[in-house]
Amino acid sequence: AAERRGARTGRLPRRRFAPRAPAVGLRPAMAATRWLGTPRQVAVLLWAAAFGWPLTHFGVAAIATEDIDELLQALESTLDEDDAKALLDPHLLNLKGLGPEVVERVVSRQWWGLARDLVAKSHEQQVDLSFAVRKAVRTLKDEADELLRTLNPKYNLAQQVAPAFQWAQNDTCIFLTIKYTVRWNAPGALEVTEPSVNMTRNMFNFSGLGKHSNNKYRYFLSLGLFDHISSETSSWSAASVGKLSVTLRKRWPRKWPRLIADKKTKIGNMHIWMEMQEKLDSTLSGMTTVSNSPITCGMSEKLYCLATDTCKKLDACAQCPGKTIPKIEDGVCTGVPTERASLSFKDADMDAGELGGEVKITRAKNDFDIDEYVVYFGKDDRSKLEHPDGTGQKLGIAAAMGADTVIRIPSRTPVPDGATHLLVFSRNEFGEYATPGSMILKDAVLPKGRPTTLSFHDEDGDKGEVGGTVTIGRAEDQTSLDEYSLHWGKSEKRKISAASYIRDVMKQTDKDSTHHIVMNTKIPEGATHILAFAKNEHGENPQPAFVKVVDALRPCQKREDLDCPKEVAATPDADPDAKQVQTTITVQRAQGEETVTHYSVYWGRSTCADSGQSGAKNGHIKDLEVGASSLIIEIPENSQLPDGTNHILVFTKNRVGESDKCVSVPFKDLQPNPEL
């Protein structure tokens, strides 16, 4: 009955995949029975296989995602490779249905025969199993290599060694590259585990566990640096294979004479990073190499004097210019800062009487003992603008970090009455340097007015090109307006995305401004308008005046165009004298005269076969208006005929010029018979 139901419906009630049980052997049959749930379902599959039914008809072609874990558990509980093959046989015809985890499990269980069968089938079905196979084999190999290493009784005892390293410097940083080996040119570990990096004051410490040549190594490096570093802005990362990259930010930008504080300390595997140093030497150009630091002076129980780059006894800071206060914990002679920073600011808030944007502070050359920079409103280039209580009107504070910094002014910050400057003071715990950096405060305001009109008429008759005069109607309100900026536009308000700029045109106080676009100027791709913006040093008024670009063309661009003259006729010369002519010229109108204003008639020295504008003309006869009742020209007797004339030419014409193409008719001068 089960067989009949299976053959009739082609469905199994419980599973989407069904491993085929071997024909003989108790254990495989039991495994298949356990996997499918009932012996009856196993019988259906055996029956289908015997009669050639495709297993896909029974829903066994692919494993559902939720069933992969069950298959992996079945493989894990299987002890024999043949049993595992029985579980996977139904899926060998469709390996795409197997997840990579199944392939990895087969390889990790070292069922090599089954693994080779899977690989062979993958070639036939063009299924790529390389990643899963390689991953599993690599894991087995690593485990085997680890086993071999344990044959060394000292393997689990990591030997501590100092790694080789190179160093270089610029004015603000020290650069280290650490190689996981004891000698720079020797091979070493490809990576380290448990990496630890610690950077404080003038100390750098690194440790990590690596493996090489069947040995474990604890790499440990401890450096007492020449001067202080800023741990907050220093960084490290894994560089190329087998190396660590470190950037140490100097607390004070200076040129160090050496890396290590104690000049007597010898480190055999320390090297200058020559390739890097050659790239960085330009940043050190013009800088004097210092001789001392708070660290080196502290080694002799003295204090560092920045002004003279010397070490002073603990009670001799009076000999340090401007820095007469001993600060034992920092190892320096200190006092009120003696150097100033500079600053720059461009207002990004375009409303009158309000500020917003970044104040950029360029650090003092030696900010050794500067803790912070304080920015104030100023009433001149030296004096703070004060509140009624006598305190300065402060804008912000930035910490001195040995580098340039910024203070952000929120948009819509009011400009106090009387504020004419921005001032920056250097400050530390002992006070402010009396002389500030300063700049004139400019409240950025965009022009209020905009051009009232904009006009342009193309005078270049070529297709895709323009030329002519742009006239900009003078703005009614020219307050804060310096000039007008012309741009190509893709609409009435928006510039084209690239190369939109045409020219800045100076404003005129008593008349409209103009700009001439030279002939043969290409119209940029996507340009449909010309835009004129009111502009000053702070930017443009976003509302432009505009004019649509109309590409004016000469008539008769092609011979078959409707605005070409149809033909011209001329009566034979009736004047018997040489070089004199009498004739009647008749022009047949163009089929379409909408773009034509005149018909231009010329004597010609050749036909219109190429272009009548290329040397064919031999003298102008007359222009005939399109509105004339007839297009006939009477050439009276004794009219002069230009030398070389053998044709009469007719061109169509409009305000931007004559057509290149023309029509012509042969014409011959009636010569007297010399025999008469």
Side-chain angles (χ1 to χ4, degrees):
E3 294 173 359
R4 285 195 299 273
R5 283 197 300 273
R8 184 172 66 252
T9 65
R11 297 179 60 189
L12 292 177
R14 292 182 58 187
R15 301 291 180 183
R16 293 183 61 190
F17 62 96
R20 177 170 54 86
V24 297
L26 179 61
R27 188 192 310 168
M30 293 176 63
T33 300
R34 180 177 67 250
W35 182 251
L36 290 168
T38 67
R40 180 178 297 176
Q41 295 170 5
V42 176
V44 172
L45 280 180
L46 293 174
W47 177 86
F51 286 90
W53 281 71
L55 293 178
T56 54
H57 188 67
F58 290 85
V60 299
I63 302 178
T65 302
E66 62 271 15
D67 292 331
I68 289 180
D69 289 342
E70 295 182 33
L71 180 54
L72 289 172
Q73 292 173 7
L75 289 173
E76 189 65 31
S77 63
T78 300
L79 302 178
D80 186 80
E81 184 173 352
D82 289 337
D83 293 349
K85 186 174 182 182
L87 288 172
L88 294 181
D89 263 354
H91 312 294
L92 295 183
L93 297 178
N94 186 12
L95 293 181
K96 287 185 178 179
L98 285 177
E101 304 93 337
V102 176
V103 179
E104 293 174 18
R105 184 63 54 84
V106 169
V107 177
S108 66
R109 292 295 300 273
Q110 301 180 45
W111 292 329
W112 303 118
L114 178 55
R116 284 190 290 270
D117 288 345
L118 290 173
V119 172
K121 292 290 185 181
S122 73
H123 296 325
E124 297 173 4
Q125 300 174 30
Q126 297 184 346
V127 177
D128 188 5
L129 301 181
S130 59
F131 179 79
V133 172
R134 292 180 188 277
K135 179 180 177 182
V137 170
R138 185 164 54 249
T139 301
L140 286 174
K141 184 178 181 300
D142 290 344
E143 292 177 356
D145 288 343
E146 184 70 11
L147 177 62
L148 289 176
R149 294 188 190 101
T150 59
L151 294 175
N152 182 348
K154 297 182 179 180
Y155 174 66
N156 287 324
L157 302 175
Q159 179 183 354
Q160 181 166 307
V161 295
F165 69 97
Q166 294 180 330
W167 76 282
Q169 68 170 318
N170 63 10
D171 56 334
T172 60
C173 294
I174 296 292
F175 302 94
L176 303 177
T177 180
I178 300 170
K179 188 174 181 181
Y180 309 140
T181 179
V182 294
R183 295 190 305 276
W184 186 260
N185 294 323
L190 299 181
E191 60 182 1
V192 295
T193 59
E194 304 175 17
S196 174
V197 175
N198 184 30
M199 299 173 283
T200 56
R201 292 178 63 84
N202 76 309
M203 293 301 301
F204 171 80
N205 294 298
F206 159 73
S207 67
L209 186 64
K211 301 176 184 178
H212 177 62
S213 301
N214 293 328
N215 290 304
K216 287 184 179 180
Y217 295 97
R218 171 70 65 181
Y219 297 106
F220 181 76
L221 180 64
S222 181
L223 302 176
L225 303 172
F226 174 80
D227 205 347
H228 289 291
I229 60 172
S230 174
S231 58
E232 295 84 0
T233 54
S234 298
S235 61
W236 64 276
S237 64
S240 56
V241 175
K243 293 179 182 177
L244 187 79
S245 177
V246 182
T247 300
L248 303 174
R249 184 83 181 190
K250 294 177 180 177
R251 176 64 181 86
W252 303 289
R254 306 196 299 168
K255 183 179 179 181
W256 292 7
R258 58 187 180 275
L259 180 65
I260 306 301
D262 189 351
K263 65 175 65 177
K264 297 180 181 179
T265 300
K266 303 297 181 184
I267 302 177
N269 49 10
M270 177 177 70
H271 309 277
I272 298 295
W273 192 353
M274 296 303 300
E275 182 180 359
M276 174 66 84
Q277 193 59 62
E278 290 175 359
K279 297 177 182 179
L280 300 176
D281 278 344
S282 60
T283 65
L284 299 171
S285 177
M287 294 187 72
T288 302
T289 303
V290 297
S291 301
N292 295 285
S293 72
I295 304 302
T296 59
C297 290
M299 294 169 61
S300 59
E301 297 184 353
K302 294 182 179 180
L303 301 178
Y304 181 61
C305 175
L306 173 65
T308 59
D309 188 27
T310 56
C311 300
K312 303 296 183 183
K313 293 182 179 180
L314 300 182
D315 57 355
C317 281
Q319 302 172 10
C320 183
K323 306 294 179 183
T324 59
I325 303 172
K327 193 172 183 181
I328 307 299
E329 61 272 24
D330 289 343
V332 295
C333 294
T334 187
V336 174
T338 55
E339 293 197 28
R340 64 179 178 177
S342 60
L343 77 169
S344 62
F345 171 69
K346 185 175 182 180
D347 184 15
D349 185 309
M350 295 300 152
D351 293 328
E354 296 179 349
L355 300 177
E358 289 187 347
V359 179
K360 298 181 180 179
I361 301 172
T362 303
R363 65 175 180 85
K365 183 177 180 181
N366 292 301
D367 59 354
F368 192 98
D369 56 354
I370 298 174
D371 295 334
E372 56 193 15
Y373 298 106
V374 189
V375 178
Y376 294 90
F377 284 113
K379 57 187 177 183
D380 54 40
D381 62 354
R382 297 179 62 89
S383 306
K384 302 173 188 176
L385 186 67
E386 297 176 340
H387 289 293
D389 62 2
T391 59
Q393 297 199 30
K394 188 190 308 178
L395 268 171
I397 300 175
M401 302 294 293
D404 297 343
T405 185
V406 298
I407 289 176
R408 290 174 176 83
I409 301 176
S411 294
R412 299 189 175 182
T413 297
V415 180
D417 292 339
T420 60
H421 289 71
L422 293 181
L423 310 177
V424 57
F425 287 84
S426 304
R427 187 165 77 180
N428 63 15
E429 60 183 300
F430 302 103
E432 290 179 350
Y433 182 42
T435 304
S438 67
M439 65 164 289
I440 295 175
L441 177 61
K442 290 185 178 181
D443 181 12
V445 179
L446 294 179
K448 296 185 181 301
R450 65 173 192 149
T452 52
T453 59
L454 187 67
S455 63
F456 171 73
H457 297 286
D458 181 22
E459 299 173 5
D460 184 304
D462 293 328
K463 189 173 184 178
E465 298 179 355
V466 293
T469 300
V470 180
T471 302
I472 306 168
R474 185 170 63 92
E476 295 179 357
D477 183 357
Q478 296 200 88
T479 304
S480 303
L481 193 158
D482 297 333
E483 56 195 359
Y484 301 102
S485 186
L486 294 177
H487 290 264
W488 296 106
K490 59 183 178 182
S491 69
E492 295 176 354
K493 294 184 178 181
R494 300 182 63 186
K495 304 172 186 176
I496 60 175
S497 56
S500 71
Y501 177 73
I502 299 175
R503 188 177 181 85
D504 288 338
V505 182
M506 293 300 298
K507 72 174 183 180
Q508 302 293 327
T509 57
D510 56 350
K511 62 180 180 178
D512 295 341
S513 299
T514 60
H515 168 66
H516 184 74
I517 297 178
V518 298
M519 297 296 178
N520 305 120
T521 297
K522 297 286 186 182
I523 301 175
E525 183 177 356
T528 59
H529 291 72
I530 294 176
L531 311 178
F533 295 85
K535 180 181 178 182
N536 61 19
E537 62 178 310
H538 305 297
E540 299 171 347
N541 184 317
Q543 298 297 323
F546 60 87
V547 61
K548 188 173 180 62
V549 176
V550 178
D551 187 7
L553 301 177
R554 291 188 293 269
C556 195
Q557 296 284 313
K558 296 180 291 186
R559 293 186 186 279
E560 60 271 19
D561 287 348
L562 298 180
D563 55 1
C564 295
K566 298 192 75 170
E567 64 178 37
V568 59
T571 60
D573 181 14
D575 190 315
D577 297 329
K579 298 184 179 180
Q580 293 185 358
V581 62
Q582 179 183 3
T583 184
T584 299
I585 302 171
T586 303
V587 177
Q588 188 171 351
R589 294 178 182 274
Q591 186 174 347
E593 294 184 322
E594 294 82 1
T595 61
V596 180
T597 60
H598 294 80
Y599 294 92
S600 296
V601 185
Y602 291 87
W603 300 113
R605 58 170 61 93
S606 64
T607 70
C608 292
D610 295 322
S611 171
Q613 302 290 355
S614 301
K617 296 178 180 178
N618 199 32
H620 183 253
I621 298 175
K622 189 176 182 179
D623 282 351
L624 299 173
E625 291 186 3
V626 167
S629 58
S630 66
L631 301 181
I632 297 174
I633 301 175
E634 296 288 350
I635 306 296
E637 186 180 5
N638 299 327
S639 296
Q640 194 70 28
L641 183 68
D643 290 343
T645 295
N646 53 32
H647 283 76
I648 294 174
L649 315 177
V650 178
F651 300 81
T652 47
K653 178 181 178 181
N654 60 20
R655 69 175 182 83
V656 294
E658 294 176 349
S659 60
D660 285 334
K661 307 295 187 287
C662 63
V663 293
S664 60
V665 63
F667 186 82
K668 186 176 181 180
D669 182 16
L670 177 63
Q671 298 285 342
N673 190 340
E675 297 179 358
L676 297 178

Coordinates of all heavy atoms in Angstrom, one line a residue, residues 427-472:
R427 N 47.1 80.3 26.0 CA 46.9 80.2 27.4 C 47.3 78.9 28.0 O 47.3 77.9 27.4 CB 45.4 80.5 27.7 CG 45.1 80.6 29.2 CD 43.7 81.2 29.4 NE 42.6 80.2 29.2 CZ 41.3 80.5 29.3 NH1 40.9 81.7 29.6 NH2 40.4 79.5 29.1
N428 N 47.9 79.0 29.3 CA 48.1 77.8 30.1 C 47.7 78.1 31.5 O 47.1 79.2 31.8 CB 49.6 77.4 30.0 CG 50.6 78.4 30.5 OD1 50.2 79.3 31.2 ND2 51.8 78.2 30.2
E429 N 48.1 77.3 32.5 CA 47.6 77.5 33.8 C 48.2 78.7 34.5 O 47.7 79.2 35.5 CB 48.0 76.3 34.7 CG 49.6 76.0 34.7 CD 49.9 74.8 35.5 OE1 49.6 74.7 36.7 OE2 50.5 73.9 34.9
F430 N 49.2 79.3 33.9 CA 49.8 80.5 34.4 C 49.3 81.8 33.8 O 49.6 82.9 34.3 CB 51.3 80.5 34.3 CG 51.9 79.3 34.9 CD1 52.3 78.2 34.2 CD2 52.1 79.2 36.3 CE1 52.9 77.1 34.8 CE2 52.6 78.1 36.9 CZ 53.0 77.0 36.1
G431 N 48.5 81.7 32.8 CA 47.8 82.9 32.2 C 47.9 82.9 30.7 O 48.2 81.9 30.0
E432 N 47.5 84.1 30.1 CA 47.5 84.3 28.7 C 48.6 85.1 28.2 O 49.1 86.0 28.9 CB 46.2 85.0 28.2 CG 44.9 84.1 28.4 CD 43.7 84.9 28.0 OE1 43.7 86.1 27.8 OE2 42.6 84.3 27.9
Y433 N 49.1 84.7 27.0 CA 50.1 85.6 26.3 C 49.4 86.9 25.9 O 48.3 86.9 25.4 CB 50.7 84.9 25.1 CG 51.7 85.6 24.4 CD1 52.7 86.3 25.0 CD2 51.8 85.6 23.0 CE1 53.7 87.0 24.4 CE2 52.8 86.3 22.3 CZ 53.7 87.0 23.0 OH 54.7 87.6 22.3
A434 N 50.1 88.0 26.3 CA 49.4 89.3 26.1 C 49.2 89.7 24.7 O 48.2 90.5 24.4 CB 50.3 90.4 26.8
T435 N 50.0 89.2 23.7 CA 49.8 89.6 22.3 C 49.0 88.5 21.6 O 49.5 87.4 21.5 CB 51.2 89.8 21.7 OG1 51.9 90.8 22.4 CG2 51.0 90.3 20.2
P436 N 47.8 88.8 21.1 CA 47.0 87.8 20.4 C 47.3 87.8 18.9 O 47.8 88.7 18.3 CB 45.6 88.3 20.6 CG 45.7 89.8 20.6 CD 47.1 90.1 21.2
G437 N 46.9 86.7 18.3 CA 46.8 86.6 16.8 C 45.4 87.3 16.5 O 44.5 87.2 17.3
S438 N 45.4 88.0 15.4 CA 44.1 88.7 15.1 C 43.8 88.7 13.6 O 44.7 88.4 12.7 CB 44.3 90.2 15.5 OG 45.3 90.9 14.8
M439 N 42.5 89.0 13.3 CA 42.1 89.2 11.9 C 40.9 90.1 11.9 O 40.1 90.2 12.9 CB 41.7 87.8 11.3 CG 40.6 87.1 11.9 SD 39.9 85.8 10.8 CE 39.1 86.8 9.5
I440 N 40.7 90.8 10.8 CA 39.5 91.7 10.7 C 38.3 90.8 10.5 O 38.3 89.8 9.7 CB 39.7 92.6 9.5 CG1 40.8 93.6 9.8 CG2 38.4 93.4 9.3 CD1 41.1 94.5 8.7
L441 N 37.2 91.1 11.2 CA 36.0 90.3 11.2 C 35.1 90.9 10.0 O 34.8 92.1 9.9 CB 35.2 90.5 12.5 CG 33.8 89.8 12.5 CD1 34.0 88.3 12.3 CD2 33.2 90.1 13.9
K442 N 34.7 90.0 9.1 CA 33.9 90.3 8.0 C 32.6 89.5 8.1 O 32.6 88.3 8.1 CB 34.6 90.0 6.7 CG 35.7 90.9 6.3 CD 36.3 90.6 4.9 CE 37.4 91.5 4.6 NZ 37.9 91.3 3.2
D443 N 31.5 90.3 8.2 CA 30.2 89.7 8.3 C 29.7 89.4 6.8 O 29.4 90.3 6.1 CB 29.2 90.6 9.0 CG 27.8 90.0 9.1 OD1 27.6 88.8 8.8 OD2 26.9 90.8 9.5
A444 N 29.7 88.1 6.4 CA 29.4 87.8 5.1 C 27.9 88.0 4.8 O 27.0 87.4 5.5 CB 29.8 86.4 4.8
V445 N 27.6 88.8 3.8 CA 26.2 89.0 3.4 C 26.1 88.9 1.8 O 26.9 89.5 1.1 CB 25.7 90.4 3.8 CG1 24.2 90.5 3.3 CG2 25.8 90.5 5.3
L446 N 25.2 88.0 1.3 CA 25.1 87.9 -0.1 C 24.4 89.2 -0.7 O 23.6 89.8 0.0 CB 24.3 86.7 -0.5 CG 24.9 85.3 -0.1 CD1 24.0 84.2 -0.5 CD2 26.2 85.2 -0.8
P447 N 24.6 89.5 -2.0 CA 23.9 90.6 -2.5 C 22.3 90.4 -2.4 O 21.8 89.3 -2.5 CB 24.3 90.5 -4.0 CG 25.5 89.8 -4.0 CD 25.5 88.8 -2.9
K448 N 21.7 91.5 -2.0 CA 20.2 91.5 -1.9 C 19.5 91.6 -3.2 O 18.5 91.0 -3.4 CB 19.8 92.6 -0.9 CG 20.3 92.5 0.5 CD 19.7 93.5 1.4 CE 20.3 93.4 2.8 NZ 20.0 92.1 3.4
G449 N 20.0 92.4 -4.1 CA 19.4 92.6 -5.4 C 19.9 91.5 -6.4 O 20.8 90.8 -6.2
R450 N 19.2 91.5 -7.5 CA 19.6 90.6 -8.6 C 19.3 91.3 -9.9 O 18.5 92.3 -10.0 CB 18.8 89.3 -8.5 CG 17.3 89.4 -8.7 CD 16.7 88.0 -8.8 NE 15.3 88.1 -9.3 CZ 14.7 87.1 -10.0 NH1 15.4 86.1 -10.3 NH2 13.5 87.3 -10.4
P451 N 19.9 90.8 -11.0 CA 19.6 91.5 -12.3 C 18.1 91.6 -12.6 O 17.4 90.6 -12.4 CB 20.4 90.6 -13.3 CG 21.4 89.9 -12.5 CD 20.8 89.7 -11.2
T452 N 17.7 92.7 -13.1 CA 16.3 92.9 -13.4 C 15.9 92.2 -14.7 O 14.8 91.7 -14.9 CB 15.9 94.4 -13.5 OG1 16.9 95.0 -14.4 CG2 16.1 95.0 -12.1
T453 N 16.8 92.2 -15.7 CA 16.6 91.6 -17.0 C 17.8 90.9 -17.5 O 18.9 91.2 -17.0 CB 16.1 92.6 -18.0 OG1 17.1 93.6 -18.2 CG2 14.8 93.2 -17.6
L454 N 17.7 90.1 -18.5 CA 18.8 89.5 -19.2 C 18.4 89.2 -20.6 O 17.4 88.6 -20.9 CB 19.3 88.2 -18.5 CG 20.6 87.5 -19.0 CD1 21.8 88.4 -18.7 CD2 20.8 86.2 -18.4
S455 N 19.2 89.7 -21.6 CA 18.9 89.5 -23.0 C 20.1 89.1 -23.8 O 21.2 89.4 -23.4 CB 18.3 90.8 -23.6 OG 19.3 91.9 -23.5
F456 N 19.8 88.3 -24.8 CA 20.9 87.8 -25.7 C 20.3 87.3 -27.0 O 19.3 86.6 -27.0 CB 21.6 86.6 -25.0 CG 22.6 86.0 -26.0 CD1 23.8 86.6 -26.3 CD2 22.3 84.7 -26.5 CE1 24.7 86.0 -27.2 CE2 23.2 84.1 -27.4 CZ 24.4 84.7 -27.7
H457 N 20.8 87.8 -28.1 CA 20.4 87.3 -29.4 C 21.6 86.8 -30.1 O 22.6 87.5 -30.3 CB 19.8 88.5 -30.2 CG 18.6 89.0 -29.6 ND1 17.4 88.4 -29.6 CD2 18.3 90.2 -28.9 CE1 16.4 89.1 -29.0 NE2 17.0 90.2 -28.5
D458 N 21.6 85.6 -30.5 CA 22.7 84.9 -31.2 C 22.9 85.5 -32.6 O 22.0 85.7 -33.4 CB 22.3 83.4 -31.4 CG 23.5 82.6 -32.0 OD1 24.6 83.1 -32.0 OD2 23.2 81.5 -32.6
E459 N 24.2 85.9 -32.8 CA 24.5 86.5 -34.1 C 25.4 85.5 -34.9 O 25.9 85.9 -36.0 CB 25.3 87.8 -33.9 CG 24.4 88.8 -33.2 CD 25.2 90.1 -32.8 OE1 26.3 90.2 -33.2 OE2 24.6 91.0 -32.1
D460 N 25.7 84.3 -34.4 CA 26.5 83.3 -35.1 C 25.5 82.4 -35.8 O 24.7 81.7 -35.1 CB 27.4 82.6 -34.1 CG 28.3 81.6 -34.7 OD1 27.8 80.7 -35.5 OD2 29.5 81.7 -34.5
G461 N 25.6 82.2 -37.1 CA 24.6 81.4 -37.8 C 24.9 80.0 -37.9 O 24.2 79.2 -38.5
D462 N 26.0 79.5 -37.3 CA 26.4 78.1 -37.3 C 25.6 77.3 -36.3 O 25.4 77.7 -35.2 CB 27.9 77.9 -37.1 CG 28.7 78.5 -38.2 OD1 28.2 78.5 -39.4 OD2 29.8 79.0 -38.0
K463 N 25.3 76.0 -36.6 CA 24.6 75.2 -35.7 C 25.4 74.7 -34.5 O 26.6 74.4 -34.7 CB 24.1 73.9 -36.5 CG 23.1 73.0 -35.7 CD 22.6 71.9 -36.5 CE 21.6 71.1 -35.7 NZ 21.0 70.0 -36.5
G464 N 24.9 74.8 -33.3 CA 25.6 74.5 -32.1 C 26.6 75.5 -31.6 O 27.3 75.3 -30.7
E465 N 26.6 76.7 -32.2 CA 27.5 77.8 -31.8 C 26.7 79.1 -31.7 O 25.7 79.3 -32.3 CB 28.6 77.9 -32.9 CG 29.5 76.7 -33.0 CD 30.6 76.9 -34.1 OE1 30.6 78.0 -34.8 OE2 31.4 76.0 -34.3
V466 N 27.2 79.9 -30.8 CA 26.6 81.2 -30.6 C 27.6 82.3 -30.5 O 28.8 82.1 -30.3 CB 25.8 81.2 -29.3 CG1 24.6 80.3 -29.4 CG2 26.6 80.9 -28.1
G467 N 27.2 83.5 -30.6 CA 28.0 84.7 -30.5 C 27.1 85.9 -30.4 O 26.0 85.9 -31.0
G468 N 27.5 86.9 -29.7 CA 26.7 88.1 -29.6 C 26.8 88.8 -28.2 O 27.7 88.4 -27.4
T469 N 26.0 89.8 -28.0 CA 26.1 90.6 -26.8 C 25.1 90.2 -25.7 O 23.9 90.1 -26.1 CB 26.0 92.1 -27.1 OG1 27.0 92.5 -28.0 CG2 26.1 92.9 -25.8
V470 N 25.5 89.9 -24.5 CA 24.6 89.7 -23.4 C 24.4 91.0 -22.6 O 25.4 91.6 -22.2 CB 25.2 88.6 -22.4 CG1 24.2 88.3 -21.3 CG2 25.5 87.3 -23.2
T471 N 23.2 91.4 -22.4 CA 22.9 92.6 -21.7 C 22.3 92.3 -20.4 O 21.2 91.6 -20.4 CB 22.0 93.6 -22.5 OG1 22.6 93.8 -23.8 CG2 21.7 94.9 -21.8
I472 N 22.9 92.8 -19.3 CA 22.4 92.5 -17.9 C 21.7 93.7 -17.4 O 22.4 94.8 -17.2 CB 23.6 92.1 -17.0 CG1 24.4 90.9 -17.7 CG2 23.1 91.7 -15.6 CD1 25.7 90.7 -17.0

